[in-house]
Amino acid sequence: MFPFRTKPPARTAVGWEHLVIRPDTKLTAADKRRVEKAIRRAKKEGKIAKTAQQTIPYEEVYPDGICRITNRLYSKSVLCDDINYAEASDDEKAVLFELYCKLVNYFGPSVGFELSVICYPADLVEYRKMLALNPQGDQFDEIRKEYSDMLVRQVSKSRYERRICLTYTIEADGIRQARSRLEQIDNDVVGHFRALTVAAHPMDGYERLTILHRCLHLEENRKFRFNWDSLNHTGLSSKDYIAPSSFFFKDGRYFRSGASFGAVSFLQIRATKLYDTLLNSILNMEGSQIISIHAKALDQNAALKAVKRKLSDLDKAKIDEQKRAVRSGFDMDILPPDLVTFGKEAQKLLEDLQNHDEKMFMVTILVVHAASSRQKLENLIYSANGITNTQNCDLIRLDYQQEQGFVSALPIGINQVEIQRGLTTSGTAIFLPFRACEVFQPKGVYYGLNATTNRMILADRKTLKCPNGVVLGTPGSGKSFSCKREAADVYLHTTDDLLFLDPENEYTSLCQQLSGQVIRLAPDSHDYINPLDVDLTTNTGENPLLMKADFIMSFCELILSAAQGGLKPIEKSVIDRCIPKIYRQLIKDPRPENMPILGDLYECLRAQQEEQAQELATALELYVFGSLNYLNHRTNVNVDNRVACYDISGLGQNLKKPGMLTVQNNIWQRTIVNRYAGKTTRIYLDEFHLLLKEPQTAAYTAEIYKRFRKWNGIPTSLTQNVKDLLESPEIENILENSDFILMLNQAASDRNILAQRLGISPQELGHITNSDAGEALLFFGDKIIPFVDKFPTDTKLYQVMTTKPADLAA
């Protein structure tokens, strides 16, 4: 079913080629008779479009995105992402504004441009299909259903979406000349957006038609089905695929496009000073709308002559007023306030044009509102007018020019509304379209709702250059809960492995819920992990014994560092000599019972002649025969389970450090094996500051952050002690290799440190100042997104993820 009628739909359109009516003028009876006469004349001359397709003012759209509007007029569009402007600091806003002024100044008199911001209802039906988790017939179907229901409820709060596109129009003798010129403009415009840190790309023909289809069906979530092959084989026009079922322009105050009611207004600027909040104030309204800003630069010489001519007119008016005042006996220096104000403004305008790299643009600002009913439409316009009035501007309805206004608001690049306002470069650039960053990747993990736009955040860390992560927050701010929520989402949507280093026994319940393996490391536990485990079956391209030798050196250095300050060169040589000997039997016969343990290393050291070897063996006695012999066992737990939790909360002070290093080594080996199996391994390291206290575990962690990216490993570290974190010499390497940072509520001193370190604006700091659990800042690549995650407390997942004492008591 194509979105058009084979017969011309019922509609009325008026051609205003010879009649221009000021929209802010109230029509008299005589004016109405003139309008009716013009309509009859337009009908007689055949100037009224007979179909909905004819109303759309272009002739052809090419697959590369070029639109031929008329025989000599061509346009192209760039689609750009949003950036954090509302949350930026004043200094950052000033920089962004200057860069945007350079973009506006790029367009000369031969290139007109149109900035379009399109807000339309989200396709919730499509989102539900995308977020639905299909039953698998296993014990997790109940969790899948409640998690899927939660995602659907959250996405339903994101009622409207928005797109920002910049369309530029040129004149050319043919498509070949137009293509050459537009490609150069494409590169330049994308470069200007890149300087603004805005991701932008030129739209191809399909993307432009999709945007136009959305604009023509603002209140209808109608699927756009189109491909170039069907266009070539059926002989149809692209307009046949995007046009609504009908247009209705008979009423001069509003129009109808299909089943939607719409009205076009233009922005009348009465203010002498504009603010950058005006455009976003209108866009923050709930409702379908298009804001379109047409701008065309005047020739600089012509602009200067026009301003100088206006100054001369004002000077003449001043002289006339002074003569009149003298004749009347008044002081000649007292002039009408309007004349004085206009004179100052004209003088400032001349100075800007001559000295401040400013151009003069003729600007038309159109606002289209759409709704499902006439009453809703009037309410939207009333609210929008109230917003513009606060900044001394008015929304004036385009009476009897609704058709011209609507087609001019479409991102095609043609302006049929003859209402223009002269603005300088900075005056034109003050209407910045940027508000807040968005991250919505269909295969991503749910993190919450954007605190600025209320849109759902779906982010796939695998798309980042370096997906490593750090989670920071005070106790009770929701660090572990955020990671558990991410882990649950990953478990339900992917086949990734999940590994938890758990110093406080916080992840056991979630691991058990997901049928994972809980490995309790404690002196009174019967779960053992052998520090000397080595995998000889996976071909990694490296000698596994050489890699293991490095770990054993670090392990011995850790347990001996308190006594003698680390290993000396002779001791390292002795250990290096023993390593091949203790693995000799395993290499000959690779069975689990031939895996060496610390006792074998002890015996081998005793067999050496050097005095240092005997000292090393004596130091190892505590971990082989003494009270700390817990690590002197072969591995007896299933470390191949998809979900594994290493609970080290029961390890005493003396065993905690070697225990953490042992777990790190086990995770390292597991990640290497998964890499060659084509699987991703996600690692969560809680109480991260403990790993950074000792040089051996800190260095091992830094290596994980440096090397795991190429091994399909995604480590995430959690800590509440930011000062301890930043004191570690390894933290620079860790932060530089992390493109994912989740920052929850922070103490005052930590906020200041992080603000300087990560470049956080005061407005963004407000989201992590005395904030509730689940309110945070998400650093995702080069984007900073404030968000709120209010996870439903009546779900089974919440019960196994929460660590709040009140919830646990309940």
Side-chain angles (χ1 to χ4, degrees), residues 269-319:
I269 302 171
R270 292 184 282 107
T272 57
K273 185 176 182 180
L274 293 171
Y275 296 92
D276 57 0
T277 56
L278 176 58
L279 188 62
N280 274 323
S281 298
I282 302 173
L283 291 169
N284 285 337
M285 291 174 52
E286 286 280 311
S288 300
Q289 54 186 322
I290 304 172
I291 295 183
S292 182
I293 302 173
H294 287 271
K296 185 74 177 286
L298 294 178
D299 179 77
Q300 192 72 351
N301 291 329
L304 288 170
K305 287 179 181 178
V307 175
K308 289 176 180 177
R309 190 163 51 247
K310 180 59 67 176
L311 277 171
S312 298
D313 293 342
L314 290 172
D315 289 339
K316 182 178 181 302
K318 287 180 184 178
I319 293 171

Side-chain angles (χ1 to χ4, degrees), residues 9-26:
R11 61 187 301 287
T12 314
V14 182
W16 297 106
E17 288 80 3
H18 307 293
L19 178 63
V20 178
I21 298 177
R22 285 182 55 83
D24 54 346
T25 303
K26 202 166 184 179

